[in-house]
Amino acid sequence: MTNQHEHANTTALEALPLRDNLRGQSPYGAPQLEVQHLLNTNENTHPVPQRVADAIGTAVHEAAASLNRYPDREFTELRQRLAAYVGHGLTQDNIWAANGSNEVLQQVLQAFGGPGRRVLSFPPTYSMYPLLASGTNTEYISGLRGADFTLTPNSAAQQVKETQPDIVFLCSPNNPTGTALGLDVVEAVYEAGQEFNTMVVVDEAYEEFSLDGTQSALTLLPGRERLIISRTMSKAFALAGARLGYLATSPQVTDALRLVRLPYHLSAITQAAANAALKHVDVLLGTVDEIKSQRDRIVDELQQMGLSPAVSDSNFVFFGWFEDAHAVWQGLLDRGVLIRDVGIPHHLRVTAGTAEETTAFLVALREVIAA
């Protein structure tokens, strides 16, 4: 019955005057199933600390009294607090925010992409990039990585020179593989794009989970007015439900984004929640070390099982090798553990959650492998 319903919906959709580049597309989405252990969407599985939840509740309650008025269009306090958090001598003029980092990236494409323009990225990487490109009618170019999914400065720079993109998306740590890019890759891409006036976006959604010694691309901002560093409060801050993403860049780029943002795009509720959370940064980030320890535990135990996990600077682990990765995914699901089949042959991805969730995953995986 469901298949008939979906077919009818698809037929009805195709009858609409949809843009040609959207025909046949599927919307983004990970399975949302009723399973005991949800380890497929890279959420911070630790609940928001009660102290922070109470502070957010109070702030939202206070904001509710003036919801008859539009919110601060410039979300000034929020930009000030985000600037203080990211540091590196940045001010509110360097900061922009939106409803999740996806909207931040969409606004970048609206300002610098569009018809007749191209965005280059390097699959396998975040699967929203081509969808955001389609939504803004920007041509998406799939760059090439090495057989081990890595990206070298020379290769990346050469591909920029060959494709002459208007925008480059670099995901670091990369989703789904989890490994951070060296800053030499970012520098090489920026330098190669100089003659084409290319905007370079480094998506650092998982940066807070990086291994010791991994440097943020924030260190490269001085003197690079076309460099953008995208971040989120969804992961390390455990605020995926709040939908707050942000970026750091030159003031002229934030001015460009003002040209495409919707009026009052950040609600008073969103601003209140984010500002309250940023008053408790230390409490919110208190689970990061625990998550990193579980990630490292997963890497170690997968290696003991004879599997090949990638080096992870994130809160998830990309691993293989399986003859039939989807069968392993299904076997884990049958045991109450949902991880992500990212569509890359022989590989799967699992979120590093609590110690109990990690144990449940590892026990289930051993059973599946032994079956």
Side-chain angles (χ1 to χ4, degrees), residues 16-344:
L16 293 174
L18 197 64
R19 289 199 335 240
D20 288 341
N21 72 318
L22 296 181
R23 290 192 180 279
Q25 294 272 4
S26 297
Y28 176 87
Q32 291 185 305
L33 306 176
E34 291 296 326
V35 177
Q36 184 176 3
H37 302 292
L38 296 170
L39 299 174
N40 66 322
T41 55
N42 300 340
E43 296 161 315
N44 185 331
T45 64
H46 296 260
V48 176
Q50 192 58 51
R51 175 180 165 191
V52 182
D54 290 344
I56 291 173
T58 298
V60 168
H61 179 75
E62 292 173 354
S66 57
L67 287 180
N68 60 310
R69 300 294 186 182
Y70 285 119
D72 175 9
R73 185 177 57 215
E74 290 298 306
F75 46 98
T76 306
E77 180 185 350
L78 179 55
R79 287 189 294 122
Q80 290 171 341
R81 291 189 180 281
L82 286 169
Y85 169 66
V86 298
H88 294 274
L90 300 179
T91 72
Q92 67 185 55
D93 294 333
N94 299 105
I95 303 296
W96 189 253
N99 295 284
S101 58
N102 286 318
E103 187 179 49
V104 167
L105 298 177
Q106 181 184 58
Q107 291 176 346
V108 170
L109 283 164
Q110 287 174 317
F112 302 107
R117 297 196 171 195
R118 299 188 287 182
V119 56
L120 169 68
S121 196
F122 300 90
T125 191
Y126 185 33
S127 58
M128 269 303 296
Y129 296 155
L131 293 177
L132 289 167
S134 290
T136 56
N137 215 9
T138 307
E139 181 185 352
Y140 181 79
I141 304 171
S142 294
L144 300 175
R145 290 177 177 267
D148 59 354
F149 307 115
T150 58
L151 187 62
T152 66
N154 288 342
S155 172
Q158 185 60 36
Q159 292 181 68
V160 169
K161 291 175 182 177
E162 290 172 356
T163 59
Q164 301 181 20
D166 298 279
I167 305 169
V168 177
F169 282 159
L170 298 171
C171 192
S172 181
N174 187 48
N175 180 11
T177 54
T179 308
L181 287 175
L183 294 188
D184 53 352
V185 177
V186 180
E187 289 177 301
V189 166
Y190 192 90
E191 183 64 29
Q194 287 274 39
E195 63 179 296
F196 316 117
N197 219 22
T198 302
M199 304 297 300
V200 178
V201 181
V202 184
D203 183 352
E204 290 190 343
Y206 301 93
E207 196 279 333
E208 285 91 348
F209 300 105
S210 291
L211 294 164
D212 292 343
T214 300
Q215 284 191 301
S216 166
L218 287 170
T219 59
L220 301 179
L221 277 177
R224 294 182 174 90
E225 70 282 352
R226 289 174 288 98
L227 182 61
I228 298 171
I229 316 301
S230 173
R231 295 282 191 90
T232 183
M233 292 183 73
S234 293
K235 308 301 182 181
F237 281 84
L239 291 173
R243 311 310 304 130
L244 197 291
Y246 61 99
L247 59 73
T249 188
S250 60
Q252 52 266 48
V253 172
T254 61
D255 281 343
L257 299 180
R258 286 179 173 87
L259 300 175
V260 298
R261 58 100 177 265
L262 293 173
Y264 313 104
H265 71 290
L266 280 179
S267 76
I269 299 300
T270 299
Q271 292 185 46
N275 282 323
L278 286 164
K279 293 176 183 177
H280 299 84
V281 168
D282 291 344
V283 178
L284 274 177
L285 297 183
T287 60
V288 168
D289 285 342
E290 168 62 17
I291 292 168
K292 289 170 69 172
S293 71
Q294 295 307 314
R295 173 202 63 204
D296 295 342
R297 175 189 169 198
I298 290 171
V299 169
D300 290 342
E301 296 210 24
L302 291 180
Q303 289 174 336
Q304 292 173 26
M305 293 183 207
L307 298 171
S308 300
V311 174
S312 178
D313 284 273
S314 52
N315 71 332
F316 58 86
V317 178
F318 178 75
F319 64 103
W321 175 273
F322 300 107
E323 192 61 40
D324 187 346
H326 191 75
V328 175
W329 177 89
Q330 185 63 56
L332 291 169
L333 182 61
D334 293 342
R335 290 164 175 80
V337 179
L338 178 62
I339 67 171
R340 189 71 175 265
D341 182 349
V342 292
I344 299 173

